[in-house]
Amino acid sequence: MTVTHKLINQMIQLQELVVADMQKKALMPKIRLEELEKSIDALQADLPQQIKTHFNRLLQKHPEAIVPVSSDTCAGCGMGLTRSLVNAVHKAEQLHRCPNCARFLYYPEQLVERERKSRVYGEARKVGIGRFTSPELMMVSLKGTTPEEVLGEMCTRMAEEKFVEDGEHLLDLALQREAIVSTAVDNGLAFPHVRGVEGGGLTLMVGIHKKGVKFGGPGRTLTRIFFFMMIPTSTSAFYLKLISGLSRIFREKEASNALLEAEAEADLWKVLIKATKKMIK
Ligand SMILES: [Zn+2]
């Protein structure tokens, strides 16, 4: 990994914390977010002075200070970028910024399609959200009564289905992330995740808790729908897009009820694919 790649990853991570901080504060104005703020300060302190200044200046104007190149345009402002700039961003020998909006640019990694064959639905090439998940990763009846138990159930499934070697280690990491600030948002959704799980693509698991569980959501809301993700560093920014898309879709009652009503894992899979069809091509 080059110095530039490291800087880019650091900025993406910093941005995610900043976004999490903003989201949380908007949802729960009274919550104390000291840990999160400490992590932000620590990541910021690590950035070279010039970059830090520019990064913060951008954040005052936009929610995102670093954005991917998307079909040869800046994903931030939509400005078309020259082929030579796109190539330079791809090479990442140095940092580049959008000539229009001045946001930092990075080239999104292509998400590798997993080699692992789906046990249930055979050979069909996966499209849409199916590229990041699998029928084996649908759980329709989580039973746990605490965040530890619920995440434990999902991590055990990840290990049983050989998506990770060590489910307990995965659980530790997921709990560490929850300890910074809960990933529960409103409308009964939560986005627990573990980042820096390299060696595979972004992996999404969907867990349904029909009764609902206290997961740190705003007020006393119960969480019923869990989108649990393992996120390789290179997919951090895509992940942000993914969770904002998922939360947009499933904050609608009709869509979330369809997930909650799924009786079998195959049903959950179908509902998920159908509901997200327009979000991911
Ligand atoms: Zn731009």
Side-chain angles (χ1 to χ4, degrees):
M1 199 186 282
T2 68
V3 174
T4 306
H5 280 122
K6 275 187 195 149
L7 268 176
I8 287 171
N9 284 333
Q10 202 178 336
M11 282 194 278
I12 290 169
Q13 202 179 346
L14 176 57
Q15 181 168 283
E16 188 189 354
L17 292 182
V18 170
V19 169
D21 192 39
M22 290 189 306
Q23 283 173 343
K24 280 292 177 186
K25 281 176 177 160
L27 290 169
M28 295 181 280
K30 285 180 191 150
I31 200 174
R32 290 176 53 177
L33 293 167
E34 281 165 29
E35 287 304 311
L36 187 55
E37 278 155 16
K38 262 190 237 163
S39 312
I40 290 172
D41 290 345
L43 268 174
Q44 288 225 356
D46 252 17
L47 286 176
Q49 185 61 45
Q50 236 189 321
I51 293 172
K52 181 165 63 182
T53 305
H54 189 68
F55 192 89
N56 287 329
R57 203 176 291 151
L58 282 165
L59 278 182
Q60 285 166 10
K61 281 196 274 179
H62 316 285
E64 286 173 323
I66 180 162
V67 293
V69 170
S70 166
S71 310
D72 292 353
T73 65
C74 163
C77 70
M79 171 88 164
L81 305 171
T82 62
R83 173 67 20 206
S84 66
L85 179 56
V86 172
N87 288 340
V89 170
H90 195 179
K91 274 191 193 156
E93 283 165 353
Q94 57 183 86
L95 284 175
H96 295 278
R97 299 205 247 129
C98 170
N100 185 46
C101 68
R103 287 179 178 93
F104 290 102
L105 293 169
Y106 70 95
Y107 197 87
E109 297 285 327
Q110 297 300 350
L111 293 158
V112 183
E113 226 178 286
R114 281 183 305 103
E115 300 280 334
R116 198 175 169 285
K117 289 244 163 61
S118 167
R119 190 182 63 196
V120 185
Y121 291 92
E123 308 294 323
R125 197 176 89 79
K126 288 183 170 183
V127 294
I129 205 163
R131 278 176 293 160
F132 312 111
T133 184
S134 192
E136 299 93 315
L137 295 181
M138 303 290 113
M139 295 183 80
V140 288
S141 51
L142 294 171
K143 294 278 184 284
T145 55
T146 63
E148 288 82 351
E149 287 173 7
V150 170
L151 288 171
E153 289 173 72
M154 289 191 279
C155 292
T156 301
R157 174 71 68 90
M158 286 270 202
E160 281 170 0
E161 294 296 340
K162 313 231 180 296
F163 283 81
V164 288
E165 278 179 18
D166 187 344
E168 281 180 30
H169 184 53
L170 184 67
L171 176 59
D172 284 345
L173 295 173
L175 289 172
Q176 280 169 31
R177 172 58 190 84
E178 291 304 319
I180 296 175
V181 60
S182 169
T183 58
V185 297
D186 50 6
N187 303 110
L189 308 176
F191 297 90
H193 57 266
V194 170
R195 61 173 50 262
V197 180
E198 309 297 333
L202 185 143
T203 305
L204 165 70
M205 167 161 213
V206 182
I208 301 299
H209 196 295
K210 299 225 157 141
K211 276 169 78 178
V213 65
K214 283 185 188 151
F215 204 77
R220 290 192 185 153
T221 55
L222 298 177
T223 299
R224 292 193 164 82
I225 301 172
F226 294 87
F227 295 102
F228 181 38
M229 282 174 243
M230 292 197 293
I231 309 152
T233 310
S234 61
T235 64
S236 292
F238 173 75
Y239 149 76
L240 274 182
K241 262 171 59 187
L242 185 63
I243 65 165
S244 71
L246 288 170
S247 104
R248 207 171 47 240
I249 291 169
F250 294 107
R251 82 163 67 111
E252 305 297 335
K253 270 271 162 287
E254 201 182 322
S256 67
N257 283 343
L259 288 183
L260 289 167
E261 283 159 13
E263 291 291 334
E265 290 169 358
D267 300 333
L268 182 57
W269 171 260
K270 281 182 209 152
V271 170
L272 177 75
I273 298 293
K274 192 174 166 212
T276 56
K277 213 182 211 162
K278 287 197 182 118
M279 177 178 82
I280 304 170
K281 291 283 171 335

